[in-house]
Amino acid sequence: MAQNGGIILLLCATFSVLAMVGAEDPYRFFEWNVTYGDIYPLGVRQQGILINGQFPGPDIYSVTNDNLIINVHNSLPEPFLISWNGVQQRRNSFEDGVYGTTCPIPPGKNFTYILQVKDQIGSFFYFPSLAFHKAAGGFGGIRILSRPRIPVPFPDPAGDYTILIGDWYTHNHNTLKAILDRGRRLPFPDGILINGRGANAASFTVERGKTYRLRISNVGLQNSLNFRIQGHKMTLVEVEGTHTLQTSYSSLDVHVGQSYSVLVTADQAAKDYYIAVSSRFTEKVLTSSAVLHYSNSVSPVSGPLPGGPTTQIDYSLNQARSIRTNLTASGPRPNPQGSYHYGLINITRTIKLGNTAGQVNGKQRYAVNSVSFIPADTPLKLADYFKIGGVFRIGSIPDQPSGKKMYLDTSVMGADFRAFVEIVFENRESIIQSWHLDGYSFWVVGMNGGVWTPASRNQYNLRDAVSRCTTQVYPKSWTAVYIALDNVGMWNLRTEFWARQYLGQQFYLRVYSPVGSIRDEYPIPKNALLCGRAAGRKTRSL
Ligand SMILES: *[C@@H]1O[C@H](CO)[C@@H](O)[C@H](O)[C@H]1NC(C)=O
Ligand SMILES: *[C@@H]1O[C@H](CO)[C@@H](O)[C@H](O)[C@H]1NC(C)=O
Ligand SMILES: *[C@@H]1O[C@H](CO)[C@@H](O)[C@H](O)[C@H]1NC(C)=O
Ligand SMILES: *[C@@H]1O[C@H](CO)[C@@H](O)[C@H](O)[C@H]1NC(C)=O
């Protein structure tokens, strides 16, 4: 149905820039034109970022191991980049589309991303990573289906819907960016959008008796959102590429940057039902709604919106802990997800990351272990590749909170290829955090209130924790994750709270192998844009 956006599926490998992708796997070609256009999501006219005229942008449909060739034409009057939240870009951080890895596409120019959704399944999204473009749109869903012979642990749904939810400002994104550039905090958002639309404007049609998959991603700027459907239960089946134990929920907390798949059976009387989305852990609660429409519906939505959870952190924490991997289900490969025993591997390093808010030179900033990230004049990955000195320093962020006063730096943490790392996110602030790592998924082994100590490891789930790419950290709480560093590259570790990311709560993890083999990392793509101090260098041709 939504196979729009100029997709051509080919089974050949003659396109000249494709040297390093899996040549035996299918290709999907996309031509995207990024423009500004008028949108009215909350009833007032705004300047939105459209992809091929659409807001939100077109969904990317793919199957495990597909090569995605996405030619992005930047028709904005300013530089632009797209990043792929949760797509791992194995051996290929050059294509990650954040400013630490990839040069911005200049206005009027184009750049062809060459991605492979290698060994992945699941629900993700893409978004514009530069400036404060994310507040104007430019995002869309990504789905990676299992290959035909690999069993999926539930019957084929009758329909499969992308539902992008997120908080939203009626301010222009340049106005928001200017507020941040002046060192001020953003005001509270104005509303919540569901697939780019305000109250009851988005509708999802179902046939009575059938079961549907909903892929819900929080593409917003900061708020955790609760998702629920009047009169219907949801069965959770997938979280960012992991098939979960199929558990029934009446509402689901989706933190900013996260993606979930649920199954919903249209098993109620034939009418229309509210889908409600509301902000969590906020004093003022924003709420919006969409419509679950039975095809033979005899009446429109009615009654009050279904209420959200009334308890705050405990409900959410208990729900998070109840989300487990189905160890016997297949993931992207036919072997069961439980065949990799992450809980038996010895940790080679523990990294503790503490987030703080503060001021530097009288301006609002945010930091990780006291370092507030500032971009360099050259993408770090390119500086690394061309061995251009003076752009960044490995070790410019410590492994532990230092208690030092906040300072600015282009923070890069070094890490060894094949290390098995424990990261403890320590949140001493009184607001919830959401952390994301590009290039990887990690096992969320534990979370709890208070301060993490080594004894906290006794509470870890070392058996069936979910492997995902974005995790929440509750207020004055910690979350611990395990990561197998099996993907060489320069990877962005960031908050998904977008104003905080913009003002420094991020850094890059440089996963390094001294071997320098293309088995571990692809060379720079031939079409790579070169900027900053990398301008004019030669990309090696293969
Ligand atoms: C992109 O869209 C704009 C506005 O419709 C149009 O002027 C431009 O030619 C398009 N560019 C491409 C590469 O399709
Ligand atoms: C720009 O698009 C053209 C086709 O429209 C393509 O041949 C070229 O490779 C693209 N440039 C980059 C840098 O990807
Ligand atoms: C786990 O996956 C298997 C398929 O391997 C499926 O039969 C079973 O119902 C799933 N169990 C739960 C609790 O989701
Ligand atoms: C982990 O470490 C323990 C003791 O330090 C050792 O006995 C064990 O063999 C190690 N396990 C693995 C899988 O390397």
Side-chain angles (χ1 to χ4, degrees):
M1 181 186 69
Q3 294 270 350
N4 41 28
I7 300 169
I8 315 158
L9 176 56
L10 295 178
L11 288 154
C12 65
T14 52
F15 198 59
S16 71
V17 293
L18 305 182
M20 288 320 298
V21 288
E24 69 289 1
D25 295 311
Y27 289 87
R28 288 172 193 262
F29 293 91
F30 302 77
E31 288 288 332
W32 280 2
N33 188 6
V34 180
T35 58
Y36 278 129
D38 286 346
I39 54 172
Y40 303 78
L42 292 176
V44 291
R45 182 161 66 92
Q46 284 184 261
Q47 181 188 49
I49 293 179
L50 316 182
I51 296 179
N52 295 347
Q54 298 175 48
F55 168 75
D59 272 358
I60 292 181
Y61 287 67
S62 62
V63 175
T64 303
N65 295 348
D66 280 355
N67 297 297
L68 308 180
I69 314 300
I70 307 171
N71 192 356
V72 178
H73 297 264
N74 177 16
S75 302
L76 306 184
E78 68 227 36
F80 184 77
L81 269 183
I82 287 186
S83 189
W84 321 93
N85 213 74
V87 175
Q88 287 174 7
Q89 335 275 11
R90 299 202 68 80
R91 301 184 265 179
N92 207 1
S93 61
F94 290 107
E95 306 282 357
D96 200 32
V98 286
Y99 186 57
T101 63
T102 317
C103 292
I105 310 173
K109 298 278 194 258
N110 68 296
F111 172 66
T112 307
Y113 287 91
I114 304 161
L115 319 175
Q116 190 182 17
V117 289
K118 182 77 183 157
D119 287 333
Q120 283 196 274
I121 55 160
S123 313
F124 308 98
F125 64 92
Y126 62 85
F127 68 95
S129 64
L130 289 187
F132 214 61
H133 286 154
K134 200 181 177 201
F139 42 71
I142 300 176
R143 58 179 67 178
I144 311 173
L145 303 180
S146 296
R147 285 173 287 161
R149 273 160 293 132
I150 314 256
V152 172
F154 47 89
D156 254 0
D160 189 331
Y161 290 112
T162 294
I163 304 187
L164 304 176
I165 58 177
D167 49 16
W168 189 260
Y169 288 91
T170 53
H171 299 278
N172 184 286
H173 68 282
N174 286 318
T175 309
L176 299 172
K177 178 173 172 292
I179 294 172
L180 297 173
D181 288 340
R182 281 204 306 276
R184 311 276 289 279
R185 293 169 185 242
L186 294 187
F188 192 66
D190 299 300
I192 290 172
L193 302 190
I194 303 175
N195 283 354
R197 314 181 71 177
N200 296 330
S203 173
F204 303 90
T205 300
V206 295
E207 267 179 60
R208 192 157 185 273
K210 294 194 170 166
T211 297
Y212 295 81
R213 180 175 186 166
L214 311 183
R215 298 173 189 258
I216 307 155
S217 292
N218 185 337
V219 298
L221 298 174
Q222 62 187 71
N223 285 110
S224 297
L225 299 175
N226 182 267
F227 183 96
R228 52 199 185 269
I229 308 176
Q230 188 181 30
H232 293 74
K233 293 263 188 197
M234 303 178 283
T235 302
L236 185 71
V237 291
E238 179 251 336
V239 171
E240 293 159 25
T242 299
H243 285 133
T244 60
L245 285 181
Q246 293 170 20
T247 310
S248 174
Y249 296 97
S250 53
S251 87
L252 196 61
D253 279 343
V254 185
H255 306 281
V256 64
Q258 295 186 332
S259 301
Y260 292 87
S261 285
V262 297
L263 297 181
V264 174
T265 299
D267 55 5
Q268 300 296 307
K271 59 183 275 305
D272 287 0
Y273 296 87
Y274 283 118
I275 295 173
V277 179
S278 55
S279 63
R280 290 283 274 145
F281 321 121
T282 51
E283 231 165 86
K284 178 182 164 201
V285 178
L286 293 172
T287 301
S288 190
S289 52
V291 178
L292 185 75
H293 169 70
Y294 278 52
S295 57
N296 57 342
S297 167
V298 293
S299 52
V301 281
S302 60
L305 285 181
T310 47
T311 61
Q312 294 283 319
I313 307 296
D314 283 354
Y315 171 95
S316 194
L317 179 60
N318 287 334
Q319 179 172 83
R321 287 185 180 139
S322 72
I323 298 174
R324 305 286 181 91
T325 299
N326 181 340
L327 297 175
T328 64
S330 302
R333 291 166 175 277
N335 41 316
Q337 293 179 138
S339 55
Y340 186 89
H341 299 287
Y342 70 90
L344 301 179
I345 301 170
N346 288 334
I347 297 164
T348 52
R349 179 173 171 190
T350 295
I351 297 166
K352 288 201 248 166
L353 301 177
N355 48 278
T356 47
Q359 294 218 328
V360 179
N361 306 326
K363 289 185 165 185
Q364 182 67 44
R365 298 289 304 183
Y366 300 92
V368 190
N369 291 354
S370 300
V371 195
S372 185
F373 180 86
I374 42 167
D377 60 3
T378 306
L380 313 180
K381 183 64 213 168
L382 297 187
D384 212 8
Y385 182 81
F386 291 117
K387 302 192 167 40
I388 302 167
V391 175
F392 68 89
R393 206 164 41 79
I394 297 162
S396 41
I397 175 169
D399 262 30
Q400 319 273 322
S402 61
K404 279 198 194 146
K405 205 165 160 281
M406 189 186 290
Y407 59 99
L408 308 177
D409 204 343
T410 302
S411 28
V412 176
M413 186 181 284
D416 296 330
F417 181 44
R418 298 205 194 287
F420 194 78
V421 173
E422 173 189 45
I423 295 184
V424 181
F425 296 101
E426 295 188 323
N427 181 15
R428 304 277 169 92
E429 296 187 69
S430 54
I431 60 167
I432 189 165
Q433 307 285 322
S434 187
W435 284 96
H436 174 89
L437 175 59
D438 281 356
Y440 285 94
S441 62
F442 43 66
W443 288 272
V444 183
V445 292
M447 49 177 77
N448 210 344
V451 176
W452 183 92
T453 68
S456 306
R457 291 184 178 128
N458 299 331
Q459 324 166 14
Y460 283 4
N461 174 358
L462 296 180
R463 191 172 163 272
D464 61 358
V466 280
S467 174
R468 66 185 312 173
C469 56
T470 309
T471 185
Q472 71 272 36
V473 189
Y474 291 99
K476 299 197 181 300
S477 300
W478 56 267
T479 294
V481 305
Y482 280 2
I483 314 175
L485 293 182
D486 57 2
N487 195 11
V488 171
M490 185 72 80
W491 301 109
N492 191 212
L493 209 170
R494 62 169 177 265
T495 175
E496 294 279 51
F497 187 142
W498 216 240
R500 294 179 69 119
Q501 175 273 152
Y502 184 78
L503 293 181
Q505 193 180 326
Q506 57 168 316
F507 65 93
Y508 284 81
L509 188 68
R510 178 182 183 263
V511 179
Y512 176 73
S513 160
V515 178
S517 159
I518 60 163
R519 281 208 332 260
D520 299 336
E521 185 177 28
Y522 295 149
I524 191 166
K526 277 201 275 183
N527 68 337
L529 301 173
L530 300 176
C531 56
R533 281 185 258 170
R537 302 279 178 138
K538 289 253 180 318
T539 59
R540 185 154 51 104
S541 74
L542 290 155

